[in-house]
């Protein structure tokens, strides 16, 4: 469910859901603001998948909490 496999397609994985969510975070946003923008995306589908996707993105260090807002982490190129 986290990564695509032979039996789990990319759009059903949390990696695919994260790929939908990350481009939206070009500026820090509230949880509600993010949800309003992605709730109709087929990769997200339900609020529980939205929360799991946020957990996944935080676990892989792609997002952070800044002053109560969710922000995409800057890359260290």
């Amino acid at each position: 469910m986290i990564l695509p496999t032979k039996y789990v397609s990319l759009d059903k994985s949390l990696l695919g859901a994260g790929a939908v969510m990350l481009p939206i975070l070009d500026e820090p946003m509230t949880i509600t603001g993010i949800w309003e923008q992605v709730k109709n995306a087929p990769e997200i589908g339900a609020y529980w998948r939205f929360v799991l996707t946020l957990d996944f993105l935080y676990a892989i260090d792609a997002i952070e909490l800044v002053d109560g807002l969710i922000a995409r982490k800057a890359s260290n190129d």
Side-chain angles (χ1 to χ4, degrees):
M1 179 169 142
I2 294 173
L3 298 174
T5 66
K6 181 178 179 180
Y7 303 104
V8 178
S9 62
L10 178 61
D11 63 326
K12 300 294 183 206
S13 69
L14 293 181
L15 184 65
V20 169
M21 200 175 295
L22 271 181
I24 292 167
L25 294 170
D26 54 350
E27 60 185 44
M29 299 178 71
T30 63
I31 297 289
T32 304
I34 301 167
W35 171 246
E36 287 300 318
Q37 290 197 23
V38 301
K39 67 181 177 183
N40 294 322
E43 294 84 2
I44 304 296
Y47 192 75
W48 65 269
R49 280 188 49 85
F50 169 72
V51 172
L52 283 177
T53 303
L54 286 174
D55 288 345
F56 170 70
L57 291 174
Y58 184 78
I60 65 169
D61 211 27
I63 61 173
E64 61 186 344
L65 188 63
V66 178
D67 296 327
L69 300 173
I70 303 294
R72 184 171 46 189
K73 266 197 156 172
S75 62
N76 295 327
D77 292 333

